[in-house]
Structures are given as C-alpha cells and as structure tokens.
C-alpha cells in the first residue's frame, strides 16, 4: 500500500514563503515528508522566517524540501501524477474528486505525486497535460479558490484517510454524562 515513502507533494513557482511553510506543516501532520519546490520565487525559501514560522514544528520537512528547476526533475521516479486545478480544461487528463480517485489509487503500487500551481496563476496547461489525473476539490459554486496550503491540507488528509488514516488520539480525559 502506498504510504509516506511513495507520496510526493510538488509546488510550482510559489511566491509566498508562508505557504511553503504551511504546506510542510500540512504534510507532516498527515505523515508525509517529501516536498519538492519547482522554481520558487525565492530559491532559499526554506530559510525564510515566514516559512519557518508557518511550518510550526515541521521544519524538518521544510529544511529537507528539494528545489528543482523544472517538472521533469520534480517527477523523477514518480509513476502516477495528480494535477490540482480549480479551472476546468477542455483537454488533458480526466478530472476527479479526490476521494473518488483515491479509493482506487490507494491499492496500487504507484509512486504518487500531487502537483500544485502557483498562488497567482495555478498550473499551466502544459504542466497539467503531464499528469495522469486532475483533482478538483468540490467547493461551493459561488467561490472555489482555496489558499495553496489549505488545498494541500485537504488532499493530504483525504489521501491519508484512503491509506488507512491514523488512530484517534484522545487529547482530553473522557467525560461521563450522568
């Protein structure tokens, strides 16, 4: 079953260090650690105060993020690639709701990557066309624009749940109702 070692999160052209740090945090809390940054605006974003602050305990994921120049380098070793896109496209891979696709993908031996576009422009058509599937997080009809790190969190959670999830860890003592 694919797990932490078979999952990669890829961010293309990020411009906000806080989103990179928050992505590292979103990944770590769901048990994932492989982060690749394609041509971020700041090639040293992992060392920026805003990124470190937003990583909040996931600085290991942030510090170990690889920075590469292009999609070819980012996808090396990956066998199934999921684009994330809010904008519908006339061509390219089929679009799925995450849970629908994850139900079938979880039992494969694929090395999976989730690719996220830049905050301002999303993913280019060329980058989407290199993917096997396009994921669209179902949102309200009036407004579907998620923050980058929020989108990562939602997909990381759904993917972790598909892989079997984690046991609930009680944070407070159980209360007994009379």
């Amino acid at each position: 079953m694919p797990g932490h070692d078979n999952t990669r999160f890829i961010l293309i052209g990020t411009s906000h260090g806080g989103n990179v740090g928050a992505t590292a945090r979103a990944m770590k809390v769901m048990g994932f650690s492989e982060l690749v940054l394609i041509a971020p605006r700041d090639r040293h974003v992992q060392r920026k105060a805003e990124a470190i602050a937003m990583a909040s305990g996931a600085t290991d994921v942030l510090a170990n993020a690889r920075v590469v120049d292009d999609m070819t380098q980012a996808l090396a070793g990956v066998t199934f690639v999921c684009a994330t896109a809010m904008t519908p496209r006339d061509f390219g891979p089929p679009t799925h709701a995450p849970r629908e696709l994850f139900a079938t993908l979880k039992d494969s031996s694929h090395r999976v990557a989730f690719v996220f576009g830049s905050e301002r422009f999303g993913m280019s058509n060329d980058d989407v066309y290199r993917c096997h599937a396009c994921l669209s997080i179902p949102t309200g009809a009036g407004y579907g624009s998620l923050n980058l790190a929020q989108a990562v969190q939602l997909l990381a959670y759904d993917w972790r749940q598909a892989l079997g999830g984690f046991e609930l860890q009680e944070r407070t003592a159980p209360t007994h109702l009379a």
Side-chain angles (χ1 to χ4, degrees):
M1 168 163 51
H4 144 322
D5 292 333
N6 286 330
T7 303
R8 181 178 300 167
F9 288 79
I10 300 170
L11 307 182
I12 301 172
T14 51
S15 58
H16 300 292
N19 280 331
V20 176
T23 290
R25 182 179 185 177
M27 291 171 54
K28 184 168 183 167
V29 78
M30 289 296 117
F32 302 111
S33 61
E34 190 176 355
L35 175 60
V36 176
L37 308 172
I38 301 174
R41 181 188 291 175
D42 182 341
R43 291 194 64 87
H44 304 287
V45 66
Q46 306 101 304
R47 292 182 271 191
K48 297 297 180 184
E50 182 182 21
I52 293 167
M54 292 301 288
S56 185
T59 52
D60 56 333
V61 174
L62 183 64
N64 291 320
R66 285 189 304 123
V67 177
V68 299
D69 295 323
D70 58 41
M71 186 77 112
T72 299
Q73 292 171 321
L75 294 178
V78 171
T79 59
F80 195 90
V81 186
C82 298
T84 57
M86 184 182 87
T87 308
R89 303 183 192 245
D90 294 332
F91 300 99
T95 300
H96 303 272
R99 290 180 186 170
E100 163 196 308
L101 179 65
F102 295 172
T104 59
L105 189 58
K106 69 182 174 83
D107 293 323
S108 73
S109 60
H110 282 295
R111 190 152 164 59
V112 178
F114 300 108
V115 183
F116 299 82
S118 72
E119 294 95 329
R120 289 189 66 195
F121 305 111
M123 290 183 68
S124 72
N125 285 339
D126 287 343
D127 288 336
V128 172
Y129 297 158
R130 295 188 65 181
C131 299
H132 299 97
C134 187
L135 297 174
S136 183
I137 297 168
T139 59
Y143 187 68
S145 178
L146 290 166
N147 168 272
L148 173 60
Q150 292 170 337
V152 170
Q153 184 69 74
L154 289 172
L155 289 185
Y157 174 79
D158 274 354
W159 183 230
R160 176 52 61 201
Q161 291 304 108
L163 296 174
F166 293 122
E167 292 290 320
L168 178 66
Q169 297 176 22
E170 289 193 30
R171 308 290 184 197
T172 58
T175 52
H176 301 283
L177 301 176

